[in-house]
Structures are given as C-alpha cells and as structure tokens.
Amino acid sequence: MSKKNKEVQKPKSEFIFQRKNYIFLFIGLGLIALGFILMAGGGSDDPNVFNPEIYSFRRIRLAPTLILIGLGIQIYAILLNPHKKKE
C-alpha cells in the first residue's frame, strides 16, 4: 500500500451559505424583529377601559408589512446563489 492510500482525506469545513446570504438573512431578521417590536404594547392597565391605540397605523399596517418584507428577504437569502455568473 502506498502512503497516499493510508492518509485519510479530511473534509473541509465550509458554511452552507456565503457571506452575501448571511447579510441578507440578518437584514431579514432585523426587519422581522423591528416589526414585532412595533406591534408590541398599546395595552391598557385597566381591563374595563378600551384603548383605541391598538388600532393605530403602526400596529395594523406598518408592523405586519415589515414582518412580511422580512420574510420575503429571508426566502430570497436562502434561494440566493452567490456563485451564479452574470452573462
């Protein structure tokens, strides 16, 4: 047996995604977190008193839109192929 056959090839440890993918993943996570932060709050200390702040533009339109945009960016980051060559 030769010396080359005895040596065991160690697989190189590589990340699943490239740097560009992780940048988009973190941007998406940031938007999702921001959306949930904007959606939080607006409660009332007294359960017998209605607080109309729960129906504000920020909680009904802005926060869910940011969450959906963040999810879209997450999907894009997963499907992104950074090695694709432009023709």
Side-chain angles (χ1 to χ4, degrees):
M1 292 187 145
S2 67
K3 189 175 182 180
K4 288 183 181 180
N5 290 343
K6 291 181 181 180
E7 292 179 13
V8 177
Q9 296 276 338
K10 292 184 180 179
K12 294 181 182 179
S13 60
E14 294 182 14
F15 289 111
I16 296 173
F17 299 120
Q18 298 298 318
R19 185 174 192 265
K20 191 174 182 181
N21 295 86
Y22 286 112
I23 290 172
F24 280 110
L25 281 171
F26 288 126
I27 290 171
L29 282 175
L31 283 175
I32 292 170
L34 179 64
F36 278 111
I37 289 169
L38 289 175
M39 203 181 303
S44 180
D45 295 333
D46 184 9
N48 297 323
V49 177
F50 177 72
N51 187 356
E53 182 63 24
I54 197 167
Y55 296 116
S56 69
F57 171 79
R58 180 180 65 149
R59 290 191 176 93
I60 297 296
R61 302 274 188 225
L62 182 62
T65 303
L66 285 176
I67 292 171
L68 289 175
I69 290 171
L71 288 172
I73 291 174
Q74 293 284 45
I75 292 169
Y76 174 75
I78 292 170
L79 297 177
L80 178 66
N81 185 1
H83 299 299
K84 186 177 180 181
K85 295 182 180 181
K86 295 180 182 179
E87 292 185 36

